[in-house]
């Protein structure tokens, strides 16, 4: 009996260590933190993906806290989708994946009053034969909603560089056109001069200029 207890304890320890390793390999993907009034905003939350050979029960809960307020439950996914409260009712949409690795939601027609802190809580219970470990994951998203989109500095620099490039290409094209025009004009002048010189040669000299034909 003691040996069986030790085996069970060792198995439980291995399971806990395995789950801990699985939690460590999660890749954290940052969510956008700025939105524009009236747009659709995706609150990105990535959770550890369960191994395919191990079943697990997953519960996803989303909370919202206004500045200076307290957390209030706004969304829950546990085999079915549920919305809570009046603030976001009818404006929340599940935007996650079927394998429950992506447990994101989207806020539709976002307003200025939706600024605040959003919390994504993921509780995953693994169904092993000798142990049922529970792994939790939590993520905070501090969202700011603006009345209109602000001009991004990178976009501004890109536009400036584009205009500079257009001006440079325009000047280069003009220079090439002037160069080609002058080159063609000089060629025409040279051709005219050669024709004038040829016409100025007497007829006898023109005959002497003929290339002799060898028999």
């Amino acid at each position: 009996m003691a040996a069986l207890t030790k085996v069970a304890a060792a198995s439980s320890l291995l399971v806990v260590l395995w789950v801990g390793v699985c939690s460590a390999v999660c890749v954290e993907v940052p969510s956008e933190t700025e939105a524009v009034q009236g747009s659709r905003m995706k609150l990105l939350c990535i959770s550890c993906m369960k191994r395919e050979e191990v079943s697990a029960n997953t519960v996803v809960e989303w909370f919202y806290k206004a500045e200076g307020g307290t957390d209030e439950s706004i969304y829950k996914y546990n085999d079915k989708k549920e919305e809570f409260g009046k603030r976001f009712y009818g404006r929340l949409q599940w935007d996650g994946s079927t394998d429950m690795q992506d447990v994101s939601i989207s806020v539709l027609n976002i307003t200025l009053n939706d600024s605040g802190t959003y919390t994504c809580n993921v509780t995953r219970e693994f169904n092993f034969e000798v142990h049922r470990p529970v792994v939790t994951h939590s993520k905070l998203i501090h969202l700011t909603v603006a009345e209109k989109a602000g001009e991004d500095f990178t976009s501004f620099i890109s536009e400036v560089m584009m205009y500079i490039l257009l001006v440079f290409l325009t000047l280069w094209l003009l220079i090439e056109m002037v160069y080609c025009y002058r080159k063609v004009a000089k060629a025409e002048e040279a051709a005219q001069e050669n024709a004038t010189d040829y016409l100025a040669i007497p007829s006898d000299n023109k005959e002497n200029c003929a290339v002799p034909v060898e028999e």
Side-chain angles (χ1 to χ4, degrees), residues 121-137:
N121 285 341
V122 183
T123 303
R124 201 185 303 278
E125 182 181 9
F126 292 88
N127 300 323
F128 293 99
E129 295 181 359
V130 296
H131 191 57
R132 298 175 67 90
V134 176
V135 178
T136 59
H137 173 74

PDB file of all heavy atoms in Angstrom, residues 121-137:
ATOM      1  N   ASN A 121      -9.156  35.980 -17.956  1.00  0.00           N
ATOM      2  CA  ASN A 121      -8.816  34.863 -17.075  1.00  0.00           C
ATOM      3  C   ASN A 121      -9.142  33.545 -17.765  1.00  0.00           C
ATOM      4  O   ASN A 121     -10.267  33.341 -18.219  1.00  0.00           O
ATOM      5  CB  ASN A 121      -9.594  34.947 -15.759  1.00  0.00           C
ATOM      6  CG  ASN A 121      -9.035  36.014 -14.837  1.00  0.00           C
ATOM      7  OD1 ASN A 121      -7.895  36.454 -14.985  1.00  0.00           O
ATOM      8  ND2 ASN A 121      -9.833  36.438 -13.869  1.00  0.00           N
ATOM      9  N   VAL A 122      -8.164  32.659 -17.817  1.00  0.00           N
ATOM     10  CA  VAL A 122      -8.347  31.347 -18.428  1.00  0.00           C
ATOM     11  C   VAL A 122      -8.043  30.280 -17.383  1.00  0.00           C
ATOM     12  O   VAL A 122      -6.952  30.258 -16.807  1.00  0.00           O
ATOM     13  CB  VAL A 122      -7.417  31.155 -19.650  1.00  0.00           C
ATOM     14  CG1 VAL A 122      -7.684  29.805 -20.306  1.00  0.00           C
ATOM     15  CG2 VAL A 122      -7.620  32.271 -20.654  1.00  0.00           C
ATOM     16  N   THR A 123      -9.011  29.412 -17.143  1.00  0.00           N
ATOM     17  CA  THR A 123      -8.829  28.305 -16.201  1.00  0.00           C
ATOM     18  C   THR A 123      -8.955  27.005 -16.981  1.00  0.00           C
ATOM     19  O   THR A 123      -9.983  26.737 -17.601  1.00  0.00           O
ATOM     20  CB  THR A 123      -9.896  28.336 -15.086  1.00  0.00           C
ATOM     21  OG1 THR A 123      -9.827  29.604 -14.413  1.00  0.00           O
ATOM     22  CG2 THR A 123      -9.657  27.221 -14.088  1.00  0.00           C
ATOM     23  N   ARG A 124      -7.896  26.196 -16.933  1.00  0.00           N
ATOM     24  CA  ARG A 124      -7.880  24.951 -17.682  1.00  0.00           C
ATOM     25  C   ARG A 124      -7.650  23.778 -16.725  1.00  0.00           C
ATOM     26  O   ARG A 124      -6.647  23.732 -16.006  1.00  0.00           O
ATOM     27  CB  ARG A 124      -6.799  24.984 -18.760  1.00  0.00           C
ATOM     28  CG  ARG A 124      -7.038  23.978 -19.879  1.00  0.00           C
ATOM     29  CD  ARG A 124      -5.877  23.956 -20.857  1.00  0.00           C
ATOM     30  NE  ARG A 124      -5.575  25.239 -21.453  1.00  0.00           N
ATOM     31  CZ  ARG A 124      -6.225  25.760 -22.492  1.00  0.00           C
ATOM     32  NH1 ARG A 124      -7.236  25.111 -23.028  1.00  0.00           N
ATOM     33  NH2 ARG A 124      -5.875  26.919 -22.970  1.00  0.00           N
ATOM     34  N   GLU A 125      -8.575  22.835 -16.695  1.00  0.00           N
ATOM     35  CA  GLU A 125      -8.479  21.652 -15.841  1.00  0.00           C
ATOM     36  C   GLU A 125      -8.187  20.427 -16.712  1.00  0.00           C
ATOM     37  O   GLU A 125      -9.007  20.035 -17.541  1.00  0.00           O
ATOM     38  CB  GLU A 125      -9.774  21.430 -15.053  1.00  0.00           C
ATOM     39  CG  GLU A 125      -9.711  20.237 -14.108  1.00  0.00           C
ATOM     40  CD  GLU A 125     -11.023  20.026 -13.367  1.00  0.00           C
ATOM     41  OE1 GLU A 125     -12.016  20.700 -13.709  1.00  0.00           O
ATOM     42  OE2 GLU A 125     -11.053  19.184 -12.463  1.00  0.00           O
ATOM     43  N   PHE A 126      -7.016  19.823 -16.502  1.00  0.00           N
ATOM     44  CA  PHE A 126      -6.607  18.662 -17.289  1.00  0.00           C
ATOM     45  C   PHE A 126      -7.184  17.380 -16.675  1.00  0.00           C
ATOM     46  O   PHE A 126      -7.189  17.208 -15.448  1.00  0.00           O
ATOM     47  CB  PHE A 126      -5.080  18.571 -17.352  1.00  0.00           C
ATOM     48  CG  PHE A 126      -4.449  19.680 -18.152  1.00  0.00           C
ATOM     49  CD1 PHE A 126      -4.104  20.878 -17.553  1.00  0.00           C
ATOM     50  CD2 PHE A 126      -4.224  19.526 -19.508  1.00  0.00           C
ATOM     51  CE1 PHE A 126      -3.536  21.908 -18.286  1.00  0.00           C
ATOM     52  CE2 PHE A 126      -3.658  20.552 -20.251  1.00  0.00           C
ATOM     53  CZ  PHE A 126      -3.305  21.742 -19.637  1.00  0.00           C
ATOM     54  N   ASN A 127      -7.625  16.493 -17.531  1.00  0.00           N
ATOM     55  CA  ASN A 127      -8.265  15.257 -17.074  1.00  0.00           C
ATOM     56  C   ASN A 127      -7.301  14.076 -17.186  1.00  0.00           C
ATOM     57  O   ASN A 127      -7.289  13.343 -18.168  1.00  0.00           O
ATOM     58  CB  ASN A 127      -9.534  14.988 -17.906  1.00  0.00           C
ATOM     59  CG  ASN A 127     -10.541  16.113 -17.784  1.00  0.00           C
ATOM     60  OD1 ASN A 127     -10.708  16.703 -16.725  1.00  0.00           O
ATOM     61  ND2 ASN A 127     -11.205  16.433 -18.891  1.00  0.00           N
ATOM     62  N   PHE A 128      -6.438  13.916 -16.169  1.00  0.00           N
ATOM     63  CA  PHE A 128      -5.556  12.763 -16.093  1.00  0.00           C
ATOM     64  C   PHE A 128      -6.220  11.666 -15.254  1.00  0.00           C
ATOM     65  O   PHE A 128      -7.187  11.918 -14.522  1.00  0.00           O
ATOM     66  CB  PHE A 128      -4.209  13.154 -15.467  1.00  0.00           C
ATOM     67  CG  PHE A 128      -3.401  14.094 -16.320  1.00  0.00           C
ATOM     68  CD1 PHE A 128      -3.394  15.453 -16.053  1.00  0.00           C
ATOM     69  CD2 PHE A 128      -2.662  13.629 -17.387  1.00  0.00           C
ATOM     70  CE1 PHE A 128      -2.661  16.334 -16.828  1.00  0.00           C
ATOM     71  CE2 PHE A 128      -1.928  14.491 -18.175  1.00  0.00           C
ATOM     72  CZ  PHE A 128      -1.925  15.850 -17.893  1.00  0.00           C
ATOM     73  N   GLU A 129      -5.673  10.471 -15.346  1.00  0.00           N
ATOM     74  CA  GLU A 129      -6.266   9.344 -14.615  1.00  0.00           C
ATOM     75  C   GLU A 129      -6.067   9.480 -13.112  1.00  0.00           C
ATOM     76  O   GLU A 129      -6.952   9.140 -12.326  1.00  0.00           O
ATOM     77  CB  GLU A 129      -5.667   8.029 -15.123  1.00  0.00           C
ATOM     78  CG  GLU A 129      -6.016   7.710 -16.583  1.00  0.00           C
ATOM     79  CD  GLU A 129      -5.427   6.393 -17.013  1.00  0.00           C
ATOM     80  OE1 GLU A 129      -4.730   5.750 -16.189  1.00  0.00           O
ATOM     81  OE2 GLU A 129      -5.651   5.991 -18.175  1.00  0.00           O
ATOM     82  N   VAL A 130      -4.887   9.939 -12.702  1.00  0.00           N
ATOM     83  CA  VAL A 130      -4.579   9.974 -11.273  1.00  0.00           C
ATOM     84  C   VAL A 130      -4.607  11.390 -10.707  1.00  0.00           C
ATOM     85  O   VAL A 130      -4.475  11.570  -9.496  1.00  0.00           O
ATOM     86  CB  VAL A 130      -3.199   9.345 -11.003  1.00  0.00           C
ATOM     87  CG1 VAL A 130      -3.211   7.867 -11.368  1.00  0.00           C
ATOM     88  CG2 VAL A 130      -2.109  10.070 -11.791  1.00  0.00           C
ATOM     89  N   HIS A 131      -4.749  12.375 -11.571  1.00  0.00           N
ATOM     90  CA  HIS A 131      -4.684  13.745 -11.075  1.00  0.00           C
ATOM     91  C   HIS A 131      -5.423  14.662 -12.041  1.00  0.00           C
ATOM     92  O   HIS A 131      -5.483  14.401 -13.243  1.00  0.00           O
ATOM     93  CB  HIS A 131      -3.210  14.186 -10.952  1.00  0.00           C
ATOM     94  CG  HIS A 131      -3.025  15.481 -10.216  1.00  0.00           C
ATOM     95  ND1 HIS A 131      -3.480  15.685  -8.937  1.00  0.00           N
ATOM     96  CD2 HIS A 131      -2.429  16.644 -10.594  1.00  0.00           C
ATOM     97  CE1 HIS A 131      -3.166  16.910  -8.549  1.00  0.00           C
ATOM     98  NE2 HIS A 131      -2.536  17.513  -9.544  1.00  0.00           N
ATOM     99  N   ARG A 132      -6.007  15.732 -11.522  1.00  0.00           N
ATOM    100  CA  ARG A 132      -6.723  16.710 -12.343  1.00  0.00           C
ATOM    101  C   ARG A 132      -6.155  18.109 -12.032  1.00  0.00           C
ATOM    102  O   ARG A 132      -6.792  18.892 -11.303  1.00  0.00           O
ATOM    103  CB  ARG A 132      -8.224  16.656 -12.074  1.00  0.00           C
ATOM    104  CG  ARG A 132      -8.859  15.312 -12.421  1.00  0.00           C
ATOM    105  CD  ARG A 132     -10.325  15.275 -12.012  1.00  0.00           C
ATOM    106  NE  ARG A 132     -11.131  16.185 -12.802  1.00  0.00           N
ATOM    107  CZ  ARG A 132     -11.727  15.839 -13.934  1.00  0.00           C
ATOM    108  NH1 ARG A 132     -11.600  14.599 -14.397  1.00  0.00           N
ATOM    109  NH2 ARG A 132     -12.462  16.698 -14.609  1.00  0.00           N
ATOM    110  N   PRO A 133      -4.964  18.406 -12.539  1.00  0.00           N
ATOM    111  CA  PRO A 133      -4.350  19.711 -12.235  1.00  0.00           C
ATOM    112  C   PRO A 133      -5.113  20.853 -12.909  1.00  0.00           C
ATOM    113  O   PRO A 133      -5.688  20.690 -13.984  1.00  0.00           O
ATOM    114  CB  PRO A 133      -2.934  19.580 -12.810  1.00  0.00           C
ATOM    115  CG  PRO A 133      -3.083  18.572 -13.894  1.00  0.00           C
ATOM    116  CD  PRO A 133      -4.121  17.592 -13.428  1.00  0.00           C
ATOM    117  N   VAL A 134      -5.098  21.994 -12.253  1.00  0.00           N
ATOM    118  CA  VAL A 134      -5.773  23.186 -12.762  1.00  0.00           C
ATOM    119  C   VAL A 134      -4.717  24.257 -13.030  1.00  0.00           C
ATOM    120  O   VAL A 134      -3.927  24.591 -12.152  1.00  0.00           O
ATOM    121  CB  VAL A 134      -6.825  23.707 -11.765  1.00  0.00           C
ATOM    122  CG1 VAL A 134      -7.448  24.995 -12.280  1.00  0.00           C
ATOM    123  CG2 VAL A 134      -7.900  22.650 -11.533  1.00  0.00           C
ATOM    124  N   VAL A 135      -4.717  24.766 -14.240  1.00  0.00           N
ATOM    125  CA  VAL A 135      -3.769  25.803 -14.633  1.00  0.00           C
ATOM    126  C   VAL A 135      -4.551  27.070 -14.947  1.00  0.00           C
ATOM    127  O   VAL A 135      -5.548  27.035 -15.673  1.00  0.00           O
ATOM    128  CB  VAL A 135      -2.944  25.370 -15.870  1.00  0.00           C
ATOM    129  CG1 VAL A 135      -1.993  26.486 -16.290  1.00  0.00           C
ATOM    130  CG2 VAL A 135      -2.176  24.094 -15.565  1.00  0.00           C
ATOM    131  N   THR A 136      -4.102  28.200 -14.406  1.00  0.00           N
ATOM    132  CA  THR A 136      -4.774  29.475 -14.641  1.00  0.00           C
ATOM    133  C   THR A 136      -3.829  30.441 -15.355  1.00  0.00           C
ATOM    134  O   THR A 136      -2.608  30.393 -15.170  1.00  0.00           O
ATOM    135  CB  THR A 136      -5.243  30.105 -13.326  1.00  0.00           C
ATOM    136  OG1 THR A 136      -4.108  30.309 -12.466  1.00  0.00           O
ATOM    137  CG2 THR A 136      -6.260  29.208 -12.638  1.00  0.00           C
ATOM    138  N   HIS A 137      -4.417  31.267 -16.166  1.00  0.00           N
ATOM    139  CA  HIS A 137      -3.655  32.262 -16.915  1.00  0.00           C
ATOM    140  C   HIS A 137      -4.450  33.551 -16.917  1.00  0.00           C
ATOM    141  O   HIS A 137      -5.658  33.546 -17.163  1.00  0.00           O
ATOM    142  CB  HIS A 137      -3.422  31.783 -18.354  1.00  0.00           C
ATOM    143  CG  HIS A 137      -2.788  32.810 -19.241  1.00  0.00           C
ATOM    144  ND1 HIS A 137      -1.467  33.161 -19.152  1.00  0.00           N
ATOM    145  CD2 HIS A 137      -3.307  33.568 -20.245  1.00  0.00           C
ATOM    146  CE1 HIS A 137      -1.199  34.087 -20.049  1.00  0.00           C
ATOM    147  NE2 HIS A 137      -2.296  34.353 -20.732  1.00  0.00           N
TER     148      HIS A 137
END
